[in-house]
Amino acid sequence: MTEPKKKNEFLYFALRNNKLRIGLTVVFFFLVLTFVGPQFTDYTPYAYVNPMGAQPPSSEHWFGTTMFGQDVFTQFVFGLQATFLVGIVGGGLGTLIGVVVGFVAGYRGGIVDEILSTITNIVLVIPTLAILLIIAAYLEVRGVFTESIFIGCTAWPWTARAVRAQTFSLRSREFVDLARLSGMNTWKIIFQEVAPNMMSYLLLVFILQFGGAILNAATLDFIGLGPMEGISLGMMMQYAVLWGALHLGHWWWFVPPGAAIMAIVGALYVTNVGLDEVFNPKLREM
Amino acid sequence: MRKSILFFTSLLVALSLVLAACATPTPQVIERTVEVPVQQTVEVPVEVPVEVPVEVPVEVTAVPAEAPTATYARGETLYVSGAAWGPPSTWNPFVTWAHANTTGIVGNVYETLFTFDPLTGDLTPWLAESGEWSDSTTYDLKLREGIEWSDGTPLTAADVVFTFELGEQYAALWFSPVWNYLDSVTAVGDYDVQFTFTDPLYQEWSNNLYNIAIVPQHLWEGKTEEEITSGANENPVGSGAYLYESHAEDRNVWVRNENWWGTKLLGLTPAPKRIVDIRTASNNIALGMVVKGELDLSNNFLPGIAELSKKGYVDTYFAEAPYMLSANTAVLFLNTTKPPMDDPAFRRALAFAINVDDIVNVAYAGLVRAANPTGLLPSLEKYVDQDVVARLGYSYDPAQAQQILADAGYADVDGDGFVEAPDGSKVELEVTCPFGWTDWMEAINVIASSAQGAGINIKAATPDYGAWNTALTSGTFDMTLNNWAGMSNTPWTLYNLLFRHPIQETMGSGNFGRYDNQEMFDLVDALARVPVDDEAGMKAACADIQELMLTDMPMIPLWYNGLWAQFSNAVWTNWPTEAADTPDTLPATWAGYWQMGGLLTLTTLELAE
Amino acid sequence: MRRYFGRKLFIYALTFFLAATIDWMIPRFMPGDPVQNMLSRAALHAEAAEVMHGYYTRAFGLDVPVWQQYINFWIALFHGDLGTSVYLFPQPVLQIIMRAVPYDIFLLLPAILLSWLAGNKFGAFAARSKWLDNTISPLGYILTATPYMWLGILLAWFFGIVLGIFPIAGAYSFTMRPHLSWAFVGNLLKHWFLPFASLFLVKFGGWAIGMRNMIIYELEADYSHYLEALGAPRKLVRQYAYRNAILPQITGLGLDLGVVVAGALVTEVVFSYPGIGYLILAAIQNQDYFLIQGCFLFIIIGVLLANFIIDIVYVIVDPRTRTGMQGETV
């Protein structure tokens, strides 16, 4: 068996890969902040805690306070929770649907592939945000979770296409043919032979979906079609702009949320490339 | 190769844009060749889907002889914002709900018979020279002589009769209900009109006098029903101080009518040659423009104005909090069909449980004032019965709220910190406002949390505007905010909103909580029939309404929304403020406010040195 | 090739049909009553509300059965009639959209093309040496991970408010009326620059990263090593790699259009730029059925058209598609 050795080899390259190290560190940092952050604050996101209104960062309020005297740091850490939730649920769902559709299309081929590919191609061309906008406006009550579901439901097509292509190439490999000759059923082949060989690829796909879901959610939240309860980074930016933070110079209100999204998504992308290099030996040289 | 294609494409794109931007309709002086039949009434079968007219018969537009300017001289132009909800789409003075998009069409272009001064409460003759009740069912109106439409035709009694008769003819016009109690309108002479009534509703009539815009018969009699009730009426011909010049998605440009009758007859001349009414997509853009001095008057709700006012960037009506005049009352409507809000004791307890001070000071940062318990605006203060308020008024007092609840049998039976109804059922209510109305969203948070503090379980919720509106008009909400009665010459306007009747399946314009009390309805109807000059009678009628209202507490007036107005003295000065040496008019450009002092404000502006 | 285009056209037609159906369906099942919302704006005197409600419901064709509304929708569509806006009553939807479209073209076309060209150039450049890679790539990652509106907000804040050198709202100054002159064109460009820049920068990052990764794949491909082994100059190898790497980038351009549309939408919101994105949001907020539908249809048509053009370009650039091989793309 070559498995253990292979794993060690991955780990070796993974630890030496700068992109992976930087990317994972940043993501991990924010993830930790999401869980630990609320411990550092005595407030709730919308509580009016500073009677002075908008004040720049201080030792009392690390990220300053909003127009109404709400603590920006508190909003920030609670907003991060929403961001990661959307990433995991939305990105996860997008990956799942994409992978299932792509697998089935690529593996079964023929008429099934034809139908699934047509659907994929159609959904692919339709601008998802426009659809999301309309759906979001249609919902009477919007929450982070429903938002994630809808983002996931519209983000899958490119994944499906990519997975389909991968499956196509794997399907024709010898070990799959062998399995088929030995009389294994389709699902068994998919799960035991094809899927493991695609795991690394799926991880890459999930990371991209994760980042994409976060950006989509930020967009929806910013234009006021985000969750109606709770707080998110996109909503923070929306409120900041609505309440004139740009003109009144309350930069501490709108800089942190955007910077966090940028850092998380950027780190995810870098991680993605780093992983790609680890999995794909040819790329390691650069 | 690729580069040249790219260059060519961008050139094409840029060119198309310039052309598109230039394609905005501009006023043209066109000879009117269309023969207008003397009296043409087109019957439109109602079943057929109505084609909405877009093409409007060409009208003669008086435009200053000089060519339209490309860049407006700063010293001749007034930049205002805060009135437009959306891009200009219609110039029809009868399409009231779109007025917000083209504010000024009534007041600046089309004019009303009277104007109204909310600060003094006086109706002032405008197109009319005088108007009075010669007996209890006859109203005699005398028009000023020498008023001309902007195409040079004189404005006469026939135009007034024509305008009012449009309301009789077309039920879709907003003022058509006036014909429920109006019997006839006759031109007695060229400048005399007589209105005879079957059952005069004096209060409503006085309100109509400064809200119905008079249109020119000679241009409107040829229009079809759709054109009159919903047509866009591009290139409007009015009698007012300003003329339509041009518009784009984000602005409406008006140019001064140099032949306006007001200059000759009243000695009034608006100072700015041009008004550019800007539609800002969000208030923060207006904020930026005010700070830079690019905007002379902003009627947007701007957060942080206290800060900017202190730094000297902008001026407001009052130098200190609340900075703004009060413009309308934010009322918490309670759905009286749902328990426990069908219980007057519960409603009264609620009134004591809401921390209005926090709404005023935190949510609005002091920009608004707490409302009088009767809900009447400060300008109508003389109709407040102080004795009733002293006996039955309310203010934030959680202890008192708890006492009332306890007395009425509400107690926390299950120990969750919130009271249960006397029959033991849980009290779980929701207070709502539309999502995105940020100041109200803050306000309902305060309402919910202070009520919770007093032991009443209320949660804040912000449905979409559409859902909110459906719940409001169909009566499925628990409690919600509404402020649809603005400045008025009569307390009847507010009470007509609060106690609208009869109760119907859909309550589109008032009494959303479906407070069903014939005694109250009779009182409001009695007020409607009191002549406007009978102040004592009005006071008595109001006192009865207030007594019953504060006893039964079917809804809770909370605070006054401001007449948001922040102005810059960089280019134009002499804005109306509380100071004694400034004009006593309203710094307002909202639709409906031009004839309430908005236009007069323009006549007293002065150029800064 | 005929089959290739035939298939494409079929897919596009089907997409259009489905999109239009969804488009018709969604707003119709929105909560709330658009006519009621519209009238409630009147606030002032709503005595006539009942009468007006019935009148406008008929006028908007909302009183017939749903299936008939659907048929009417298609009939009207083929007549180029997208209905009348509720929010901008009584203007026809088509007219409103036609006024917004030039701004979108003006904003999107340069942003898409220039970012694509520049991104490819810089991406290929980055793949050249470790030093360049270490400077361009991180920048690319940061840009492509930046939310459009945040970059927009930052640009607006810094250039518009702190420095005060660019206007941050509208398409041209409030002190001007549209006319053909250098001053006006200059003013248009000044208002256009920041929204363009925020779209361009984010996209630029994405394309640069994409190209860089593609080239590296290609340089590590067997044919590159083979060429190098044959002693071909590095420049030639890179040229081949670039040519091969550009193909997926072209495909990517088509797939990315939906994303750019989304970006343009928020950018227009941040800068109050009067394009379709800005319009569709206003339409949604005002529950304007017809305007929402119209905007969405135009976005679909635009995206489909652009995809079709990209297909044609692809055929020109990639000889394999011409010689009968079926494209793997859409």
Side-chain angles (χ1 to χ4, degrees), chain B residues 441-493:
Chain B
M441 284 163 75
E442 296 298 333
I444 62 169
N445 280 337
V446 174
I447 293 173
S449 60
S450 57
Q452 284 174 11
I456 305 171
N457 190 0
I458 298 180
K459 287 197 175 65
T462 53
D464 220 49
Y465 179 80
W468 172 80
N469 197 0
T470 308
L472 179 79
T473 54
S474 59
T476 54
F477 66 96
D478 289 349
M479 49 183 82
T480 192
L481 289 172
N482 185 285
N483 67 332
W484 287 353
M487 281 187 165
S488 170
N489 66 320
T490 158
W492 173 82
T493 307

Side-chain angles (χ1 to χ4, degrees), chain A residues 216-231:
Chain A
N216 267 333
T219 306
L220 278 179
D221 296 358
F222 177 73
I223 51 183
L225 293 172
M228 287 172 166
E229 277 183 4
I231 183 87

Side-chain angles (χ1 to χ4, degrees), chain B residues 12-30:
Chain B
L12 210 68
V13 168
L15 201 67
S16 75
L17 186 82
V18 175
L19 290 178
C22 291
T24 347
T26 53
Q28 287 166 310
V29 185
I30 299 171

Side-chain angles (χ1 to χ4, degrees), chain B residues 295-338:
Chain B
L295 201 55
D296 299 308
L297 170 62
S298 153
N299 288 125
N300 308 72
F301 168 60
L302 298 187
I305 214 68
E307 201 179 321
L308 292 173
S309 172
K310 273 192 199 86
K311 288 181 186 162
Y313 285 121
V314 294
D315 282 307
T316 48
Y317 191 87
F318 298 109
E320 296 293 328
Y323 302 97
M324 311 294 167
L325 288 164
S326 299
N328 55 59
T329 315
V331 179
L332 184 68
F333 276 89
L334 308 175
N335 192 336
T336 58
T337 63
K338 285 192 182 179

